[in-house]
Amino acid sequence: QVHLVESGGGVVQPGRSLRLSCAASGFTFASNAMHWVRQAPGKGLEWVAVISYDGSSKYYADSVKGRFTISRDNSKDTLYVQMNSLRVEDTALYYCATKGVSGFAWDYWGQGTQVTVSS
Amino acid sequence: QSALTQPASVSGSPGQPITISCTGTSSNVGGYDYVSWYQHHPGKAPKLIIYDVSKRPSGVSARFSGSKSGNTASLTISGLQAEDEADYYCCSYTSSRTWVFGGGTKLTVL
């Protein structure tokens, strides 16, 4: 059974950094592209970033490009996102997600980790 | 990376059908058959209900169906049930090798 568990969220001041992790199990992690998706309070879902199965390709939403870095450690079955220069508008519940039947949709999601950026 | 356009809310009575539209551009919805739909109940992880425009994952009710015409995709729920009340999001792959969601539609079952 696929299991994704996010961690690392918390309260941080604007301009500071935070690293989120997503521990995966129940599937061959090294074979799957992995994504981060977030939801700000009272707002809709927003796609954040994707990393290819081997880490060689990475793409970002314009809203986080240059500030966030997605990475993975296939030896630890873990996905990361390093979030720098955090802004109040980065406050959100952050989910990691991965494909099942389709390479362009996400069958499997974690429960999310909350990031709050506030002074 | 502008969000896809969805109606903010739709409503229907039990047993009735409803349709939610999702409008994008030729760089996303119109350019690829990679539109997906998610059902999201507050406090829970989003659930994939349609992928690749019209395919249903195993275990998803046949009451959910998807289609696309030009730059607009649609989700239809036939025979509304109380448990269908949730937020629904469309999502599309884009020409920039990124993904973009719609703003979300709140479905109310009257």
Side-chain angles (χ1 to χ4, degrees):
Chain A
Q1 183 177 358
V2 174
H3 207 44
L4 299 171
V5 179
E6 303 93 339
S7 61
V11 180
V12 62
Q13 293 180 325
R16 304 299 290 264
S17 299
L18 204 60
R19 189 178 82 156
L20 306 184
S21 300
C22 169
S25 61
F27 66 105
T28 305
F29 180 76
S31 296
N32 276 29
M34 297 294 298
H35 299 253
W36 288 100
V37 175
R38 69 184 181 182
Q39 184 175 33
K43 304 292 186 181
L45 298 174
E46 179 187 16
W47 177 82
V48 173
V50 60
I51 185 168
S52 61
Y53 70 99
D54 61 355
S56 63
S57 297
K58 305 172 186 181
Y59 297 93
Y60 300 90
D62 288 345
S63 58
V64 306
K65 198 175 299 182
R67 300 187 301 120
F68 288 15
T69 302
I70 191 171
S71 63
R72 64 190 299 157
D73 185 338
N74 286 347
S75 69
K76 295 182 179 179
D77 290 354
T78 302
L79 171 72
Y80 304 99
V81 62
Q82 176 68 41
M83 305 185 295
N84 298 332
S85 303
L86 282 162
R87 304 168 180 169
V88 171
E89 54 265 35
D90 295 319
T91 295
L93 185 63
Y94 285 75
Y95 297 99
C96 60
T98 193
K99 75 178 182 74
V101 290
S102 167
F104 297 87
W106 310 301
D107 294 68
Y108 305 110
W109 297 68
Q111 287 302 308
T113 186
Q114 178 67 41
V115 172
T116 301
V117 184
S118 173
S119 55
Chain B
Q1 293 181 350
S2 298
L4 307 177
T5 300
Q6 297 180 231
S9 63
V10 297
S11 61
S13 299
Q16 287 187 328
I18 63 96
T19 297
I20 300 172
S21 62
C22 170
T23 302
T25 69
S26 59
S27 296
N28 42 63
V29 174
Y32 303 90
D33 286 337
Y34 296 134
V35 176
S36 52
W37 289 88
Y38 299 86
Q39 179 190 64
H40 193 199
H41 287 102
K44 299 183 70 175
K47 176 185 178 182
L48 178 67
I49 55 174
I50 294 289
Y51 69 97
D52 295 354
V53 175
S54 60
K55 299 176 182 177
R56 254 187 338 270
S58 175
V60 172
S61 172
R63 297 184 299 105
F64 294 92
S65 63
S67 63
K68 190 184 82 167
S69 177
N71 295 337
T72 298
S74 298
L75 171 71
T76 297
I77 308 175
S78 61
L80 269 180
Q81 298 181 359
E83 60 262 34
D84 297 334
E85 188 161 291
D87 297 322
Y88 290 83
Y89 295 89
C90 62
C91 185
S92 176
Y93 181 67
T94 83
S95 59
S96 301
R97 302 187 183 184
T98 60
W99 279 255
V100 61
F101 279 98
T105 298
K106 182 177 181 61
L107 170 62
T108 300
V109 181
L110 301 172

